[in-house]
Amino acid sequence: MGFEQNLRKIAPYVPGEQPGNVNKVIKLNTNENPYPAAPGAEEIACNLKDKDMRLYPPTDAGKLSRAIAGYYGIDTKNIFVGVGSDDVLATAFLTCFNSQVPILFPDITYSFYDVWAELYKIPYKQIPVDEDFKIKKEDYLQENGGIVIANPNAPTSLAMPLEDIEFIIKNNPDSVVIIDEAYVDFGGESALPLLKKYDNLMVVQTFSKSRSMAGMRIGYAFAGDRIIQAMNDVKFSINSYTMNYPAVEMGVAAIEDEEYYKATIAKIVKTREKAKKEFTKLGFKVLDSKTNFLFISHNGVKAETIFADLKKRGIFVRHWNKPRIDNYLRVTVGTDAQMKKLFEALKEIL
Ligand code: PMP
């Protein structure tokens, strides 16, 4: 046995496959944005200087916080920036979920939530979504040590109305309620305006999807002063320098180019709506997506078979061997050209 018994054992989160030859395959499996980041961000990457690598970056990513603050009209003391929203959410779990009473989240949701709960030994209860994969607000009235809801939810792509989100926040004043808005920019309603009213709310967003910067790893949270202060205390107890210099500078450039950001979102939403119709014509049930992906199930051919046949053709989508969703596929919205190739392949497979 020896040291073995002291090793921490955890079944980790399994991200979608990142094939080595990304330029040869059509990658619709990790909800990345198919369009480049804002041109200003790329320019910064091309002009990095010695000092940008040699010196430690500012510990508070202040320049990026100020840019986010300016864009959303929120005070910097109510913003926490991290290495993708995964880092922000992990820090939030460690900081805010410290009760013996279970935290609550849906059974079908982002599959990192139960991993963090296991890692940090946070008791948790998974609340079944209904048969249409909808989250029922009344289920979140029971005693709890915290709540986390992805809105829109993943992998279902469904958005909850803001009134339902407010109902959950309002009825749980003694719990931190985290709303994970990784996909909100593609058609959801953000809970950000509720921040003034509720000090138990945290809203988490990311640059990975709508700002095409998954590789730079930038995420952020909005919350009241006390929660952000506690998050910073935890962060500074693990790693002071989480945000590297290029990520901060490139993030600022992305925030400053609102026109590019809006145009990219509009392109994806347009392709998504077209793809919904195409999938339906091919015999797929398609959930009403408010995200940059579609959650689909075919009326004849098994999801697993479609997944494997697409992969053979170099088209990557996502499939989970999990109860309730094992006959579904999650397909990221790509460019029109990528979607055309996908539909050509599906016509051969089905
Ligand atoms: N939340 C949800 C619901 C997601 O699907 C993802 C992407 N895998 C994330 C958070 C994390 O994204 P990132 O760390 O790239 O910001």
Side-chain angles (χ1 to χ4, degrees):
M1 276 301 263
F3 62 80
E4 270 287 329
Q5 65 191 333
N6 293 329
L7 295 182
R8 190 178 295 278
K9 288 165 198 77
I10 178 86
Y13 171 75
V14 184
E17 197 178 339
Q18 289 295 102
N21 52 344
V22 281
N23 293 324
K24 295 212 179 98
V25 303
I26 295 184
K27 216 177 150 302
L28 306 175
N29 67 336
T30 46
N31 297 343
E32 289 145 327
N33 195 312
Y35 299 106
E42 195 171 329
E43 205 178 303
I44 284 162
C46 295
N47 289 304
L48 285 175
K49 300 279 184 311
D50 160 63
K51 73 166 178 29
D52 306 335
M53 290 173 260
R54 195 167 49 78
L55 302 180
Y56 283 112
T59 55
D60 63 351
K63 198 170 164 187
L64 181 56
S65 281
R66 286 190 294 278
I68 296 171
Y71 185 82
Y72 291 98
I74 301 286
D75 204 296
T76 48
K77 70 178 188 303
N78 298 113
I79 297 176
F80 177 91
V81 180
V83 188
S85 53
D86 281 339
D87 177 47
V88 175
L89 287 162
T91 306
F93 269 55
L94 188 56
T95 308
C96 307
F97 298 158
N98 193 22
S99 159
Q100 299 307 309
V101 185
I103 62 164
L104 309 177
F105 51 86
D107 63 338
I108 310 292
T109 192
Y110 187 32
S111 43
F112 228 137
Y113 300 156
D114 52 330
V115 174
W116 287 317
E118 292 281 349
L119 179 64
Y120 298 137
K121 303 192 189 313
I122 301 162
Y124 63 99
K125 187 167 164 189
Q126 292 163 293
I127 311 286
V129 292
D130 75 9
E131 59 282 8
D132 298 320
F133 294 124
K134 293 215 168 88
I135 295 167
K136 289 177 289 169
K137 62 180 188 303
E138 301 77 21
D139 290 347
Y140 295 82
L141 294 180
Q142 57 191 294
E143 195 192 8
N144 64 76
I147 293 174
V148 55
I149 304 266
N151 191 44
N153 197 10
T156 65
S157 77
L158 300 176
M160 242 173 130
L162 196 57
E163 303 95 83
D164 290 9
I165 293 285
E166 181 163 12
F167 175 92
I168 293 173
I169 301 164
K170 190 178 175 173
N171 286 293
N172 288 283
D174 298 329
S175 301
V176 174
V177 179
I178 300 176
I179 308 298
D180 175 356
E181 296 188 348
Y183 301 102
V184 76
D185 294 338
F186 300 101
E189 250 182 306
S190 177
L192 193 54
L194 301 178
L195 206 63
K196 290 193 278 303
K197 248 165 115 178
Y198 302 101
D199 63 359
N200 60 325
L201 168 65
M202 180 186 301
V203 176
V204 179
Q205 297 188 355
T206 179
F207 280 51
S208 297
K209 319 292 178 183
S210 54
R211 289 193 167 85
S212 312
M213 292 177 82
M216 290 316 296
R217 313 305 299 126
I218 307 171
Y220 50 101
F222 300 110
D225 312 10
R226 277 163 57 218
I227 295 179
I228 296 295
Q229 183 58 52
M231 293 264 287
N232 276 317
D233 289 346
V234 167
K235 173 209 143 143
F236 282 98
S237 305
I238 298 176
N239 179 1
S240 318
Y241 305 106
T242 51
M243 302 306 293
N244 67 61
Y245 177 83
V248 168
E249 293 292 328
M250 290 165 77
V252 171
I255 282 277
E256 283 171 350
D257 199 341
E258 185 176 12
E259 200 179 319
Y260 181 86
Y261 156 76
K262 293 242 158 101
T264 306
I265 292 170
K267 278 197 279 191
I268 289 174
V269 169
K270 195 168 165 207
T271 307
R272 177 186 76 202
E273 295 308 310
K274 253 196 328 204
K276 258 187 207 171
K277 290 191 189 128
E278 283 284 324
F279 279 124
T280 311
K281 268 196 256 167
L282 291 174
F284 284 96
K285 172 180 154 191
V286 186
L287 271 65
D288 182 25
S289 171
K290 297 285 182 240
T291 63
N292 68 335
F293 59 88
L294 292 157
F295 201 49
I296 60 172
S297 178
H298 196 258
N299 60 18
V301 187
K302 272 188 163 167
E304 211 176 343
T305 310
I306 302 172
F307 170 81
D309 284 354
L310 283 174
K311 192 167 168 179
K312 272 189 224 146
R313 289 164 165 82
I315 302 176
F316 287 67
V317 298
R318 194 92 199 259
H319 173 252
W320 286 270
N321 244 329
K322 279 192 185 170
R324 300 193 75 184
I325 58 166
D326 58 353
N327 205 25
Y328 281 81
L329 295 171
R330 191 195 69 188
V331 181
T332 305
V333 177
T335 60
D336 283 330
Q338 288 177 318
M339 298 310 273
K340 188 164 172 266
K341 287 202 177 126
L342 167 71
F343 288 117
E344 281 164 9
L346 285 173
K347 280 173 196 155
E348 282 173 30
I349 291 167
L350 299 169

